[in-house]
Amino acid sequence: MLKLLSSSSSCLHARAHIQQHPQINIIKLCSTISISENPSSLSFNLPLVSDLIAKQHWSELKTHLKDSTFITVLHQLIDSGADPELTLRYFNWAQKGQNVPRNIEITCRLLQSLSNAKKYPKMRAFLDEFVRRNEKHSVSSIFHMLSMSSNHFCANSIIVDMLVLAYVKNSKTNSGFEAFQRAGDYGFRLSKLSCNALLSALVKENEIGYVEFVYKEMFRRRIEADLYSFNIVINGLCKVGKLNKAKDVVDDMKAWGVAPNVVTYNTIIGGYCKLGGLGRMHKADAILKEMVANNICPSVITFNILIDGFCKDENVAAAFKVFEEMRRQGLKPNLVTYNSLINGLCCDGKLEEACGLRDKMLGLGLKPEIATYNALINGFCKKKMLKEARELFDNISERGLVTNVITFNSLLDAYCKNEMKEEAYELHNMMIERGVLPNTSTFNCLIHGSLRQGNIETARKFLQQMEAEGLKADCITYDILINALCKDGEPRKAERLLNEMFTKGLSPRHVTYNTLMDGYCREGNLKAALNLKTRMEKEGKRANIATYNVLIKGYCMQDKLVDANVLLNEMLEKGLIPNRTTYEIVKVEMMDKGFVPDIDGHLHNISSS
DNA sequence: ATAGGGTTAG
């Protein structure tokens, strides 16, 4: 009963749309009248045409139809109730070689006859081809046509459902989303299959706002979400750090009687691992416990996520504990496991252990990849063990691996940072010779290297070369330049670069603003520094602890201790907890000069009272 | 449907 009600109301809805577009209606009306009211005026013999199509006698058909248009024949075939597969065959033949006009109306009618005859695989192929041909038919024109030229509501729903899927499969997610949305306007029912595909594509494109919309719409339209739908949505939310919302979806799924599985838990654990901030690994660990308590067995992937998380949290010891636990449970560590651990050890400066682990994986028959070696090379570079790094670099091809841009960048950066200009340039040339294209990071290393040697001209040359090669400056390029200018006592020039970032669609990070404020503070221009703080807040970046540290220090340097205290209070009111740097500034610059802290940590100037 | 590759800045 409910279903009946909802479909009749959508018919009304569809009708309302038609009335808004009378011009389309008239065209449709004319074409129908001219053909079906005057069948005697046809200049061809329909049964003969059908027969010729069935036998694929195309040249005969062409001769026979020479006075009729493609469109007329198609309409006639459909109206006569011919086998839709025959009509489709004729359509494809005509479209392929006969230079016929693209016509959305006839396309829709053909689809409807296929849909009524339940020729689903043919429809899928047809729609796939239709979407791939990339004709400029708007989604709305397709919907208008469909709703006008048939009263078979279910047939249309199936077409629309397949259309969404075809769009998504051919990476036209925007059109897929639009079709999804319009399907709601017209009341066409979509399957969870195409909704899931759409959700998945939106997650891949980081359009999480749309993911949330589709998810909510599915409920509203009573499209039953399944385990996949929930997991995809959870993944999308985790990807952008909306862990609380992701957990709400877990509650949703439970309420709908869908039990979270290992993928659900892995996704949430991964979400916490990627989340910045303290205690994130603790939360990830808590989910692991919850999962076990719910009788969901952790998999190799679960452990890999945790191991990588702990490594990135600079807690290799905890990562190894997880590694042990993993093996205790009889799970076999794989390449990902070892790569994460090796990278963790390298970042921790434990190069012998990292190499040992590499040997161990070789012994287990796991072949290290280029990323494994990149981690090792980078590890040696960070410890200034350039000889060892170079040795690994030179031996990579012997191991059947190919150096990539990251391999080169790691070593190149190390050369730049250790004043080995010649080696750096040689490497830059070598990568070009070997066909490894330098990227923006490569140039960032070279630019930074030149600037740190005070060679502004060379830096400018690299910047120009980079742009000449079609590479765009990124946030890091700007950070490097802004930093250098501030150190040079040129914060005004640096701020011009900040402005430039916006024109290039780059959004400066907190540190960029903080660097600039520091630049102004150093030259005593507190007003400019404060203006920057206002500006960053306007641009949606909240002042952080580092921001306040820079400003408080700036005020202290000018002996404006009362103003510094105002900023300190503001920081505390915002719930920002002073760190070690704050404390050092406050201790030396304020407490030693007459300020005394009260029980809440606020400072009071006793010398003035 | 879930991991992940690693480089540049700070």
Side-chain angles (χ1 to χ4, degrees), chain A residues 400-424:
Chain A
L401 298 168
V402 181
T403 44
N404 62 13
V405 67
I406 294 169
T407 328
F408 276 101
N409 288 352
S410 296
L411 198 55
L412 185 79
D413 185 58
Y415 285 146
C416 287
K417 287 199 168 109
N418 290 281
E419 269 117 43
M420 297 165 79
K421 202 165 83 180
E422 291 312 313
E423 286 86 346

Side-chain angles (χ1 to χ4, degrees), chain A residues 473-492:
Chain A
D474 61 11
C475 280
I476 296 175
T477 320
Y478 278 98
D479 275 353
I480 292 166
L481 297 172
I482 287 172
N483 221 337
L485 284 169
C486 286
K487 271 196 187 134
D488 236 26
E490 299 272 19
R492 240 162 249 89

Side-chain angles (χ1 to χ4, degrees), chain A residues 44-233:
Chain A
F44 58 85
N45 175 335
L46 198 61
L48 176 63
V49 168
S50 301
D51 192 50
L52 289 174
I53 297 169
K55 290 178 181 156
Q56 310 203 39
H57 289 173
W58 302 119
S59 53
E60 254 174 86
L61 182 69
K62 206 170 168 180
T63 323
H64 180 68
L65 292 176
K66 67 177 187 309
D67 295 329
S68 319
T69 66
F70 161 71
I71 306 267
T72 320
V73 178
L74 262 171
H75 275 296
Q76 200 52 42
L77 280 167
I78 292 170
D79 288 341
S80 71
D83 177 0
E85 290 208 31
L86 274 190
T87 318
L88 177 66
R89 198 181 284 173
Y90 171 68
F91 184 96
N92 286 338
W93 167 74
Q95 293 261 289
K96 221 180 260 167
Q98 309 307 307
N99 194 26
V100 296
R102 308 291 193 207
N103 180 304
I104 187 65
E105 183 192 3
I106 201 67
T107 302
C108 287
R109 287 202 71 199
L110 178 55
L111 275 167
Q112 282 164 332
S113 70
L114 286 165
S115 185
N116 283 324
K118 301 196 179 356
K119 305 278 185 191
Y120 300 138
K122 292 264 185 254
M123 287 168 69
R124 268 183 217 111
F126 182 84
L127 279 165
D128 218 47
E129 184 55 33
F130 171 75
V131 165
R132 218 174 300 167
R133 267 204 312 271
N134 208 11
E135 292 167 26
K136 294 290 167 237
H137 297 304
S138 69
V139 171
S140 63
S141 70
I142 298 170
F143 274 66
H144 288 311
M145 278 302 167
L146 284 176
S147 63
M148 274 186 301
S149 44
S150 165
N151 45 13
H152 293 285
F153 199 74
C154 287
N156 278 344
S157 279
I158 291 166
I159 295 169
V160 169
D161 192 58
M162 289 184 179
L163 179 67
V164 171
L165 205 58
Y167 277 133
V168 170
K169 270 198 205 149
N170 290 285
S171 8
K172 298 182 197 302
T173 312
N174 284 342
S175 303
F177 178 77
E178 199 188 336
F180 172 87
Q181 208 169 14
R182 288 204 183 257
D185 297 339
Y186 283 85
F188 294 137
R189 284 194 66 80
L190 297 179
S191 69
K192 59 188 164 194
L193 203 86
S194 52
C195 292
N196 287 352
L198 176 63
L199 284 169
S200 181
L202 288 168
V203 169
K204 249 186 217 122
E205 293 175 19
N206 250 321
E207 299 279 14
I208 309 306
Y210 291 126
V211 170
E212 289 180 74
F213 176 85
V214 171
Y215 176 66
K216 280 187 197 131
E217 271 295 297
M218 283 175 76
F219 278 88
R220 205 181 63 78
R221 297 187 203 166
R222 300 194 172 79
I223 302 167
E224 217 172 297
D226 63 5
L227 181 61
Y228 282 71
S229 330
F230 288 115
N231 282 348
I232 296 165
V233 174

Side-chain angles (χ1 to χ4, degrees), chain A residues 456-486:
Chain A
I456 295 169
E457 263 321 299
T458 314
R460 186 166 302 156
K461 213 188 69 207
F462 280 129
L463 204 58
Q464 281 164 354
Q465 192 185 342
M466 177 173 111
E467 290 185 337
E469 287 179 23
L471 296 168
K472 285 187 177 129
D474 61 11
C475 280
I476 296 175
T477 320
Y478 278 98
D479 275 353
I480 292 166
L481 297 172
I482 287 172
N483 221 337
L485 284 169
C486 286

Side-chain angles (χ1 to χ4, degrees), chain A residues 366-548:
Chain A
L366 291 169
K367 203 170 167 293
E369 299 167 295
I370 186 64
T372 321
Y373 281 98
N374 285 346
L376 289 168
I377 289 172
N378 189 42
F380 279 123
C381 286
K382 291 286 136 65
K383 288 199 98 177
K384 298 186 189 291
M385 297 166 77
L386 295 196
K387 232 183 100 226
E388 287 83 350
R390 183 65 193 230
E391 218 173 281
L392 270 181
F393 177 88
D394 288 333
N395 289 333
I396 277 179
S397 58
E398 281 170 28
R399 300 177 198 270
L401 298 168
V402 181
T403 44
N404 62 13
V405 67
I406 294 169
T407 328
F408 276 101
N409 288 352
S410 296
L411 198 55
L412 185 79
D413 185 58
Y415 285 146
C416 287
K417 287 199 168 109
N418 290 281
E419 269 117 43
M420 297 165 79
K421 202 165 83 180
E422 291 312 313
E423 286 86 346
Y425 292 172
E426 186 210 314
L427 212 58
H428 184 208
N429 290 330
M430 188 200 282
M431 65 192 290
I432 295 164
E433 275 164 28
R434 289 205 198 165
V436 179
L437 285 183
N439 60 15
T440 300
S441 306
T442 317
F443 281 100
N444 286 345
C445 298
L446 289 165
I447 292 165
H448 192 205
S450 312
L451 288 173
R452 84 171 41 236
Q453 291 198 324
N455 205 334
I456 295 169
E457 263 321 299
T458 314
R460 186 166 302 156
K461 213 188 69 207
F462 280 129
L463 204 58
Q464 281 164 354
Q465 192 185 342
M466 177 173 111
E467 290 185 337
E469 287 179 23
L471 296 168
K472 285 187 177 129
D474 61 11
C475 280
I476 296 175
T477 320
Y478 278 98
D479 275 353
I480 292 166
L481 297 172
I482 287 172
N483 221 337
L485 284 169
C486 286
K487 271 196 187 134
D488 236 26
E490 299 272 19
R492 240 162 249 89
K493 283 187 188 167
E495 194 171 351
R496 252 179 265 153
L497 286 178
L498 184 83
N499 298 335
E500 196 180 294
M501 289 181 80
F502 286 97
T503 68
K504 301 209 173 166
L506 296 169
S507 132
R509 301 163 316 142
H510 280 98
V511 280
T512 317
Y513 287 102
N514 293 347
T515 308
L516 255 172
M517 283 180 221
D518 191 49
Y520 279 124
C521 286
R522 278 160 190 263
E523 64 171 34
N525 193 343
L526 298 176
K527 208 175 145 202
L530 270 189
N531 281 341
L532 264 171
K533 173 170 167 281
T534 315
R535 179 172 171 184
M536 82 185 266
E537 283 166 344
K538 238 186 235 162
E539 274 146 13
K541 297 261 183 297
R542 287 184 53 193
N544 60 17
I545 301 170
T547 315
Y548 282 101

